Amino acid sequence: MRTRLCCILCFSILLVSNAQREAANWYFGQNAGLNFTTGTPTPLLDGELASVEGCASISDPNGNLLFYTEGTTVWNQDHDIMPNGTALKGSPSGSQTALIVPNLADPNLYYLFTTDDALLSNTGQFNGFNYSIIDMSLDNGRGDIVSKNNNLLPVGSEKVTGVLNFTGNFYWVITHFEDRFYAYRVDENGVDPNPTVSVVGPNITNFANGRGSLKISPNATKIAMTYLIVDPRYDSNLFVFDFDANTGIISNPIEASGHTRAYYGLEFSSNSKKLYASGVNFNAANELKAIDVVQFDLEAADIFANETVLLDFPSFGNIFVAGALQMGLDKRIYHTLPNTRLSVIKNPNALGASARAAKYEVELGGRQASFGLPPFVQSFFETIFDIEHFCLGEVTTFTAEDTTDIASISWDFGDPNSGVANTSNALLGQHEFSTTGIFTITIDVTYTNSLVRRFVEQVQINEPPNVLSEVELVQCDIDGLDDGITSFNLAESVAAFSNGMGSLSTTFFASEANAILDTNPLPSNRYTSTGYNDVVYARVVQGSECFSTVEIRLIGEPMTNLGPYDTLFICDGIRAEDSVTGNLTHIVQQLSQDFGDALITLYGTEEDALYESNALPKQNYTFANSTVPTVYFRVEEGFNCSFIGSVAVQIFEAPTYEESITAYLCDGSLRLAALDGYDSYTWSTGDQVQQILVYAPGNYDVVFSQGTCSYVQSFEVLPTPEIQVDEIAVNDFARTNSIRIETNSGNASVDLSYSIDGGITFQPANTFSNLDPGVYDIVVDNGCTRFEQEVVVGGIQRFFTPNEDNSNDYWALANPQFFPGAELSVYDRYGKLLKVMQSGDSGWDGTFNDRQMPSDNYWYHLKLANGRIVKGFFALKR
């Protein structure tokens, strides 16, 4: 195994402390953060910063947080706003809104550079390129901004980067605007406002196109730049230049041309031999598509002729920003998009897929990342050593890439338990670590020119994954030939050899030698064996470069293709206009009747069943409604394939019906009917028809079926119910008369109908209103029997017209024959008694003492034989 791990450049052994961890703490996104001091990133949940893109942070050489910013506000180590720490001229929406550079001579002084903001393009007002000075000796060691917004350029872009020069006595801080680079020298005297200017590269005159990134390689020999073009259409520039760290001059542009990707983020590998870029793809219609993170080989003759796409993400809609790339102290490169995790490139010094990228792997403790990560001085990440062998029990080697100018090397392996072996003065560093864990190796390199530089490496020593050394992977051979040749999904062997270990990274190879060297990997999910006794090897890694190898014997099991096996039924499906949905658990349950406790998995195609990919869910699944769907199944015993076959799936919609019904005999019999349209019916009486006639009370059940789908309906048959009328309440002699019929059927489920016209018309309600005085024939019907009774609704005429036309000439009690003994008295409005009549009298003719009474309202007093008194008024009209 071979990789280059973390090494941190230190300037002179007299000028630096033992641990350069200025990049140990990151704050970014929406209150997100990471700490790298333990060797692996740990979420920080105490940040105050909220930024769409730009941010920056700095720690002391021991990894203790000093301060951080999103371009406008500075927070100190206690997460309080630093004195004078607002209104900086950066922007949370700037690609690289800030860069923090330490003073080489005074450990308390820091220079915070801020860039312009492309969003200001429509305002006509610009932030420019500025720097502020922070003195950490003030405010009880929490820092104070002693000089703010010192302008270097009146207008700028969103790009800044920095690096240490070769002799280690000053930094270069570089930005770009329009057609030139500006390289500012930062030394023990501060910032030199007179930059080295290099007129080279693209000429970006549209301020709105100032987004993008600028990065120097950690070894200070190359500089890369992206310009994200948004106006008038999406495009970008991606360039690599030569950089002279002695003079600050930038030259020899190499452009990535002919691409359809809007590049944004940039990062170099720690050995400065690989370049990584993020970009949003766009099509010929200039529509934004997927986001890629790609690798370019800087040692290739044509850098941009070939690329390796390591990460790809679906489109974020109209978002044209592809997310920042940034190296951590662990020398891994991290990529951000809006998510609660970061993606990571684990071995950036390696070429192609061996760089091992993982999407959304690094947890942020529930906090949300955005499009920006904090940039740092690139020298913090330089390495000049190749480091190999990270497993406990192996000898870890540290090999300098070029020893031509090296006079001597002093090693401290940070492993005091190893005794005298903890230090060495050999040019080749070699050490067998005493235990697992993260070790800090201090390396003092003396060059032939007497320059001494200190490098600090961090290595993680791990035990190899505790997996089985050999397993068998048995696959169904379904081509009909007994030759041992079949196709395998090699990834399915992981469960067999993993010993329950999680988070294993596994690659497969044709030979053990290739597995050890990590070369020529096999496809993990589409591998065709060569015949009987075929063997492949897995290289298994868990969280480190330490690995184990596993021998996997591939066995093709003949005679395992069952072909079309059966037609199975789902009985509770849901049909729509063009689809049908069914619960596939029912299919697995039916197959289990044949295959017992074996693992059964369903697939949409035979190929998916063979490769164990795209398994169908064991729950509701929707098929097109045009044909009877075919589902493929795979039967496994342990990790071995036993059979592959297919079933036709008939999906029936569950009927809607009352499972229990109560009914009554009528005239001594009752017809019971199940739902129509089913294949078979079986009654508890033995009948096998849809309907039966029963003659006795009792319980009757019917099972009606379609295919293997059966449904049960129960009938409780009761004797013919009697109708019991408790009361017929008549409200009469009123302005509005009504009849209410109160019944007790003996069973609430019996439906009754009511009539007052002798059964000519019925209604379900038991009350009749707005009735005229008269005789009514009450009928109550339950479908089998009836209750009948005649009732009278009493009443008095509301007016009469005594004009001798033989029509309504007399005012009298209606239906007097039903009210014998009734007495009716008439009064005028003054209470004078005008007439007293008995129930059999013909009525009042409108006279008093043979004198016609005038048209007016008159009052009556009705006394019925039962003592009931009714009072009211009526009108006399002439």
Side-chain angles (χ1 to χ4, degrees), residues 206-519:
N206 187 338
F207 184 79
N209 295 328
R211 299 173 180 86
S213 299
L214 188 65
K215 287 287 181 78
I216 301 178
S217 61
N219 68 0
T221 62
K222 298 287 185 182
I223 188 167
M225 180 175 66
T226 62
Y227 263 102
L228 175 57
I229 308 300
V230 298
D231 184 21
R233 56 184 284 117
Y234 295 121
D235 203 348
S236 72
N237 299 117
L238 170 58
F239 282 86
V240 173
F241 306 84
D242 290 336
F243 178 65
D244 188 331
N246 291 317
T247 65
I249 293 175
I250 297 165
S251 60
N252 300 327
I254 301 174
E255 182 180 7
S257 59
H259 60 79
T260 55
R261 189 180 288 131
Y263 286 108
Y264 177 80
L266 283 172
E267 188 56 283
F268 286 89
S269 59
S270 62
N271 66 0
S272 302
K273 295 180 180 180
K274 307 294 184 295
L275 176 66
Y276 295 85
S278 65
V280 182
N281 293 281
F282 55 87
N283 60 18
N286 214 228
E287 298 169 325
L288 297 173
K289 298 298 181 180
I291 295 174
D292 290 338
V293 175
V294 298
Q295 180 200 72
F296 300 102
D297 184 4
L298 296 176
E299 295 183 309
D302 187 346
I303 294 174
F304 296 117
N306 295 290
E307 65 176 39
T308 300
V309 177
L310 294 176
L311 293 168
D312 62 277
F313 304 87
S315 170
F316 274 65
N318 293 325
I319 300 299
F320 50 76
V321 176
L325 293 162
Q326 179 58 47
M327 185 176 295
L329 283 185
D330 55 3
K331 295 310 183 337
R332 295 182 172 190
I333 293 176
Y334 296 86
H335 175 250
T336 182
L337 284 170
N339 199 278
T340 56
R341 300 183 181 188
L342 298 183
S343 300
V344 59
I345 302 170
K346 299 181 179 181
N347 190 17
N349 290 341
L351 183 63
S354 296
R356 295 177 48 229
K359 188 182 298 185
Y360 296 137
E361 183 174 280
V362 181
E363 294 277 0
L364 298 178
R367 298 296 170 86
Q368 182 80 11
S370 189
F371 296 99
L373 293 173
F376 297 92
V377 172
Q378 289 291 93
S379 310
F380 294 168
F381 308 110
E382 183 189 8
T383 184
I384 64 169
F385 296 97
D386 288 343
I387 307 177
E388 299 178 286
H389 311 304
F390 304 98
C391 296
L392 187 65
E394 293 182 330
V395 175
T396 304
T397 59
F398 303 79
T399 306
E401 292 181 346
D402 186 357
T403 60
T404 303
D405 297 323
I406 296 177
S408 65
I409 302 179
S410 176
W411 302 86
D412 182 339
F413 295 105
D415 182 19
N417 291 335
S418 64
V420 296
N422 189 44
T423 60
S424 172
N425 292 313
L427 286 181
L428 174 64
Q430 299 184 86
H431 185 73
E432 182 176 345
F433 288 91
S434 60
T435 186
T436 58
I438 297 172
F439 295 85
T440 299
I441 299 92
T442 303
I443 311 164
D444 293 332
V445 180
T446 302
Y447 291 88
T448 55
N449 63 359
S450 298
L451 174 67
V452 179
R453 299 172 69 185
R454 170 166 288 175
F455 297 87
V456 178
E457 295 280 1
Q458 285 184 332
V459 297
Q460 183 171 352
I461 302 301
N462 294 278
E463 289 185 303
N466 181 25
V467 296
L468 300 180
S469 60
E470 61 180 47
V471 295
E472 288 184 351
L473 185 61
V474 179
Q475 174 66 301
C476 292
D477 187 351
I478 60 174
D479 60 6
L481 302 176
D482 187 4
D483 55 9
I485 299 176
T486 187
S487 296
F488 288 81
N489 181 352
L490 299 179
E492 294 301 320
S493 66
V494 175
F497 63 66
S498 65
N499 262 341
M501 299 185 70
S503 303
L504 296 177
S505 176
T506 305
T507 315
F508 299 92
F509 302 86
S511 69
E512 187 173 23
N514 284 351
I516 293 172
L517 295 174
D518 197 13
T519 59

Side-chain angles (χ1 to χ4, degrees), residues 495-640:
F497 63 66
S498 65
N499 262 341
M501 299 185 70
S503 303
L504 296 177
S505 176
T506 305
T507 315
F508 299 92
F509 302 86
S511 69
E512 187 173 23
N514 284 351
I516 293 172
L517 295 174
D518 197 13
T519 59
N520 302 318
L522 298 174
S524 62
N525 59 349
R526 291 287 192 276
Y527 176 75
T528 301
S529 60
T530 58
Y532 293 113
N533 302 316
D534 193 6
V535 175
V536 298
Y537 295 84
R539 176 190 175 102
V540 185
V541 178
Q542 186 186 46
S544 70
E545 296 305 311
C546 191
F547 68 91
S548 297
T549 59
V550 180
E551 179 182 287
I552 305 169
R553 284 176 278 116
L554 304 180
I555 299 175
E557 192 70 39
M559 309 298 292
T560 51
N561 187 355
L562 299 178
Y565 183 69
D566 201 349
T567 297
L568 301 181
F569 298 86
I570 296 176
C571 305
D572 55 357
I574 301 173
R575 286 198 173 273
E577 183 177 350
D578 56 356
S579 65
V580 60
T581 300
N583 191 329
L584 297 184
T585 302
H586 301 316
I587 300 301
V588 175
Q589 292 171 342
Q590 293 174 68
L591 289 171
S592 295
Q593 296 176 9
D594 293 344
F595 300 105
D597 295 331
L599 175 65
I600 299 173
T601 310
L602 305 181
Y603 300 89
T605 67
E606 185 178 62
E607 183 180 68
D608 283 347
L610 185 65
Y611 290 116
E612 297 180 79
S613 59
N614 305 314
L616 299 180
K618 293 181 180 179
Q619 55 189 11
N620 283 344
Y621 187 79
T622 300
F623 299 91
N625 205 15
S626 56
T627 59
V628 175
T630 297
V631 170
Y632 293 83
F633 64 92
R634 178 186 178 99
V635 182
E636 290 183 304
E637 296 283 352
F639 301 106
N640 301 329

